[in-house]
Amino acid sequence: MLEKALKKKVSSTFSNKPVYSILFIIGTCHLLNDSLQAVIPAMFPILEQSLGLTFTQLGLIAFTLNMVSSVMQPLVGMYTDKHPIPYALPIGLTSSMFGMLGLALAPNFWMILISVVFIGLGSAVFHPEGSRVAYLAAGTKRGLAQSIYQVGGNSGQALAPVITALVLVPLGQFGAIWFTLIAALAVFFLMHIAKWYAARVKEFSRSKGAQKAVKPNKNMSRAIKSALIVLIFLVFSRSWYQAAISNFYAFYAIDNYDLTIAKSQVYIFTFLAMGAVGTFLGGPLADRFGKRTVILFSLIASAPLALLLPHVGPVLAIILLAVIGVILMSSFSVTVVYAQELVPGKIGTMSGLIVGLAFGMGAIGSVALGTLIDFIGLTPTMIMISLLPLLGFLTYLLPTDEKIREWYA
């Protein structure tokens, strides 16, 4: 039935209407892909106890996963902008499947690092190509389409605490073996997506070929480069804060609120799950109020709540994490669409740059924050990272949505 529905979509002409069936399927695949990545930070408390790893080593595991993904994503995007490879999607998830198998069986720190390299490579291929599928299926609703796609990924990341509490705590490291089945399911869906993608690329290329490209002048090029630099700082602030909460707040909750590993995961799940809600809401809000406006709001509005978080009790902390998650992550998909419209014609490159940058910044943040925790402790580190959302004021330096439309009119 799924294949029949996809064939029907392939036969349709290039349209400005969103192809929701494709968007929901690629969003589901994004959920499956990122749930595989979520297993790794979810295993941190387990690995700390079973293998005696330090916070620095845990940070290096996160660094390896995210850095491989972040370095490769823009490279994959640049290549596939010129030479689309629809079947790269299932191939990438096959790499992740082998990585999950290795992770479940790894006897030491170094084998874990090798396993996460395979998972990182799979993610590097999936994200820019998955974003391109969302773009091709978006019609005129680019913010909504990217939100549907990205909310799948954020939902997959939000599963990390659930994975810890329901799978890894009772089964230990070997429990990760079950996620090879998740990877296999993703490969199955992506084989069908690849067929639709291949036909859609041909239609999109013909449509694009009929349009006259607008070449930026010198002033425009300078403004675009400046805007991309500002975006890098904004992604930095969001990614480092997210890395601190996702990877290390469980330890903070255990130490400060006297919780078990399983109960501490409620805090992480709350932040990530509400972050997924924010990711979905951000796209439609950006379609209505503007992408720059949503990016600005997501950081500035979350800043006072982040500053308050390290100084409250366990109940209020959950509430604050929920609100911060919704607000902060509302700009995740919006930032990608903003970059794609800032540099039109470079869909994969911009997606790989922004999403890959988020992974890369999170990777560097994981190592830096893990080392900082080893030196100065959890509480001082959590207080320091609460300042990061204040960098959101840099958003005022970005050109408005109207200005970008004027450039390419």
Side-chain angles (χ1 to χ4, degrees):
M1 183 180 293
L2 175 63
E3 186 172 3
K4 184 178 180 180
L6 289 175
K7 286 181 178 179
K8 182 178 179 181
K9 293 300 180 183
V10 169
S11 64
S12 63
T13 56
F14 191 80
S15 172
N16 286 330
K17 294 181 180 180
V19 187
Y20 287 108
S21 61
I22 295 298
L23 291 174
F24 288 132
I25 294 171
I26 194 65
T28 300
C29 291
H30 200 181
L31 184 152
L32 297 175
N33 177 81
D34 282 27
S35 68
L36 301 180
Q37 291 183 256
V39 172
I40 296 170
M43 290 182 69
F44 281 1
I46 307 297
L47 296 174
E48 184 204 24
Q49 293 183 357
S50 63
L51 298 180
L53 302 184
T54 66
F55 282 108
T56 300
Q57 287 176 312
L58 295 177
L60 284 170
I61 292 171
F63 175 85
T64 300
L65 171 69
N66 294 331
M67 187 55 69
V68 170
S69 177
S70 66
V71 169
M72 292 298 295
Q73 276 195 51
L75 298 178
V76 171
M78 289 170 62
Y79 182 83
T80 55
D81 276 335
K82 297 180 180 179
H83 311 284
I85 310 175
Y87 285 91
L89 285 165
I91 292 172
L93 262 293
T94 300
S95 172
S96 296
M97 183 170 62
F98 284 113
M100 291 307 304
L101 180 63
L103 187 65
L105 303 176
N108 53 50
F109 171 70
W110 296 107
M111 286 303 297
I112 290 173
L113 287 183
I114 293 172
S115 298
V116 300
V117 166
F118 280 93
I119 297 172
L121 288 173
S123 179
V125 173
F126 176 83
H127 281 96
E129 287 298 271
S131 184
R132 189 192 308 279
V133 169
Y135 185 94
L136 294 174
T140 57
K141 301 290 185 180
R142 292 180 183 174
L144 174 62
Q146 197 65 220
S147 284
I148 293 173
Y149 168 66
Q150 296 291 355
V151 76
N154 285 40
S155 299
Q157 294 171 19
L159 290 175
V162 178
I163 291 168
T164 300
L166 300 182
V167 180
L168 298 179
V169 169
L171 299 180
Q173 179 183 341
F174 186 73
I177 195 78
W178 290 101
F179 294 92
T180 58
L181 299 178
I182 299 295
L185 181 62
V187 171
F188 170 76
F189 280 120
L190 288 172
M191 287 296 293
H192 292 285
I193 285 287
K195 295 177 184 178
W196 179 90
Y197 178 12
R200 196 67 165 181
V201 164
K202 293 179 181 178
E203 294 179 17
F204 183 75
S205 297
R206 288 195 296 266
S207 175
K208 183 180 176 183
Q211 300 173 359
K212 184 178 179 181
V214 178
K215 186 177 181 180
N217 58 39
K218 187 175 181 179
N219 291 333
M220 281 176 58
S221 296
R222 188 182 298 112
I224 290 169
K225 291 177 182 178
S226 298
L228 287 174
I229 292 172
V230 172
L231 280 179
I232 289 173
F233 278 100
L234 297 177
V235 172
F236 158 77
S237 63
R238 187 185 64 218
S239 298
W240 271 50
Y241 188 84
Q242 185 182 10
I245 300 298
S246 301
N247 294 329
F248 301 116
Y249 194 84
F251 299 104
Y252 178 85
I254 290 170
D255 286 354
N256 287 270
Y257 305 141
D258 195 25
L259 301 176
T260 63
I261 291 176
K263 289 183 178 179
S264 70
Q265 299 304 306
V266 174
Y267 292 80
I268 311 304
F269 176 76
T270 299
F271 174 76
L272 295 175
M274 297 308 293
V277 173
T279 298
F280 178 76
L281 295 176
L285 289 173
D287 286 336
R288 181 171 182 178
F289 299 107
K291 300 166 191 64
R292 180 176 177 269
T293 301
V294 172
I295 295 171
L296 175 65
F297 174 79
S298 72
L299 288 163
I300 299 305
S302 61
L305 304 178
L307 291 169
L308 184 60
L309 180 63
H311 308 288
V312 300
V315 176
L316 187 54
I318 293 180
I319 297 173
L320 286 176
L321 284 169
V323 179
I324 292 171
V326 171
I327 297 175
L328 185 68
M329 298 309 295
S330 65
S331 65
F332 189 87
S333 61
V334 177
T335 308
V336 176
V337 179
Y338 183 92
Q340 289 175 341
E341 295 188 356
L342 187 66
V343 188
K346 300 291 184 181
I347 304 168
T349 304
M350 288 300 102
S351 174
L353 175 65
I354 298 302
V355 179
L357 184 65
F359 280 121
M361 290 295 185
I364 296 171
S366 296
V367 175
L369 294 169
T371 303
L372 192 61
I373 290 170
D374 282 335
F375 277 99
I376 68 173
L378 276 167
T379 300
T381 302
M382 288 298 164
I383 292 174
M384 290 178 63
I385 63 99
S386 67
L387 300 171
L388 289 172
L390 292 172
L391 289 175
F393 284 106
L394 292 173
T395 308
Y396 284 110
L397 301 177
L398 292 176
T400 63
D401 297 55
E402 292 78 9
K403 185 66 175 178
I404 294 174
R405 282 195 290 269
E406 287 178 5
W407 287 347
Y408 299 105

